[in-house]
């Protein structure tokens, strides 16, 4: 099956291709705005808009970092928290509070304009001071539960074995198997 | 001059009409999504989209609550912080930190699809524990500098004399006078 992944990120495309390996992945890098809302609301809105532009089935993804002390926020706004607060300072906003949280990868798949499916992968962990390589921004402040290393201190292979993105794409892949 | 204000909020419309009193204000309540970005980026994108839908000059506004300790965030995401964290708990996220901040009203005025003007009103103050009437949500946790009452403890008239929205609409009005 041909699948259109709307992303401008080559690394995401490679990772998705590895998991969705029975399918032919086609990349479209169209301009879709970032909406406000929950991760789920955002990927559903983006998938619908992508379908309206491309006129064919397609999927989008979005990544969140969620603080339990903030009831799940910054969530999808993590991109602007990294942009304006910065990864060095961000963990200090939780000083004196519960530093547990989770990372989410959310996928919206538009089968048609009005049939949007949603898939999600979640990894619980802790938000800690910055460390490790600067490969991905919030990977430098997140240690998944059951591990003693930040995502940024793992090899890409180690991280990809356990990541939120892997879980989300596996859920999407399982759905496609049953289609 | 006829001016189209894209808002679903009757109170905002009345307040704008009082300040822009030389102009005929027309309300259009079309559905424009909330985008991510800075307040300025958001109202510019929304005004442009509103123009594309209405095919005539129009303006939109947006309100932010900005914490200095968070480098200006939550900013325009205050709506989701109120939705998910709640006004009662929100001030406690600043426990042990600088509780100064500011409120912003941002206006985007689309004269044409590609000529978008931007106006802003800002009031500095402090983020404090919840109090006063429940008239507006973040008015219950904000004391403007030079005052000893939360916005929610002022009469509407008192607040409107000093508000960020008044400042922004006055700046917009001054621009229109010179047009």
């Amino acid at each position: 099956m041909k699948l259109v992944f709307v992303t401008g990120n080559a690394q995401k495309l490679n990772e998705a291709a590895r998991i969705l390996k029975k399918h032919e992945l086609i990349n479209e890098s169209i301009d879709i705005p970032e909406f406000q809302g929950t991760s789920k609301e955002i990927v559903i809105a983006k998938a619908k808009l992508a379908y309206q532009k491309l006129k064919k089935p397609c999927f989008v993804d979005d990544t969140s970092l969620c603080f339990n002390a903030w009831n799940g926020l910054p969530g999808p706004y993590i991109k602007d928290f990294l942009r304006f607060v910065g990864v060095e300072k961000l963990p200090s906003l939780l000083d004196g509070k519960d530093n547990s949280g989770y990372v989410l990868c959310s996928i919206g798949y538009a089968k048609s304009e009005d049939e949007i499916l949603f898939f999600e992968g979640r990894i619980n962990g802790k938000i800690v001071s910055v460390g490790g390589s600067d490969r991905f921004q919030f990977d430098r402040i997140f240690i998944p539960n059951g591990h003693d290393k930040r995502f940024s201190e793992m090899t890409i292979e180690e991280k990809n074995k356990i990541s939120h993105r892997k879980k989300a794409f596996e859920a999407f892949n399982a759905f496609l198997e049953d289609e």
Side-chain angles (χ1 to χ4, degrees), chain A:
Chain A
M1 183 177 172
K2 279 188 186 181
L3 287 172
V4 175
F5 187 8
V6 178
T7 181
N9 186 323
Q11 194 171 327
K12 280 186 182 179
L13 187 71
N14 287 339
E15 202 174 330
R18 258 201 310 275
I19 294 165
L20 304 171
K21 55 181 177 279
K22 291 193 189 159
H23 307 277
E24 182 189 348
L25 229 56
I26 297 160
N27 177 228
E28 294 268 6
S29 172
I30 54 173
D31 197 27
I32 304 279
E34 294 291 339
F35 298 107
Q36 292 187 35
T38 63
S39 312
K40 182 173 179 175
E41 289 164 349
I42 289 169
V43 292
I44 288 174
K46 286 175 76 171
K48 188 180 175 89
L49 188 58
Y51 189 98
Q52 286 166 345
K53 290 194 178 196
L54 295 171
K55 314 278 184 218
K56 56 189 169 192
C58 55
F59 66 96
V60 301
D61 78 338
D62 198 58
T63 305
S64 286
L65 175 62
C66 305
F67 300 167
N68 287 328
W70 292 13
N71 296 15
L73 289 164
Y77 306 133
I78 183 61
K79 291 169 278 295
D80 272 347
F81 274 79
L82 290 169
R83 179 180 168 201
F84 296 114
V85 176
V87 72
E88 301 278 346
K89 180 177 171 182
L90 190 57
S92 76
L93 302 191
L94 289 175
D95 282 353
K97 313 229 174 270
D98 173 13
N99 75 334
S100 69
Y102 52 98
V103 292
L104 283 182
C105 174
S106 308
I107 296 172
Y109 170 49
K111 269 187 80 169
S112 68
E113 193 176 332
D114 296 310
E115 192 180 357
I116 321 274
L117 287 305
F118 172 71
F119 307 93
E120 190 173 74
R122 170 176 170 157
I123 302 286
N124 295 323
K126 298 255 172 247
I127 291 88
V128 298
S129 63
V130 76
S133 69
D134 60 359
R135 205 166 56 213
F136 300 110
Q137 285 219 292
F138 75 68
D139 283 13
R140 299 178 70 202
I141 57 171
F142 187 77
I143 298 182
N145 284 349
H147 295 262
D148 54 7
K149 287 193 286 192
R150 297 168 180 85
F151 270 155
S152 58
E153 295 169 288
M154 301 178 182
T155 64
I156 301 235
E157 293 68 33
E158 276 180 290
K159 182 193 161 195
N160 284 351
K161 263 186 220 160
I162 60 163
S163 83
H164 47 304
R165 183 163 294 118
K166 174 175 188 269
K167 277 187 161 181
F169 276 102
E170 282 181 350
F172 183 30
N173 193 51
F175 165 82
L176 293 169
E177 298 280 298
D178 291 341
E179 276 280 89

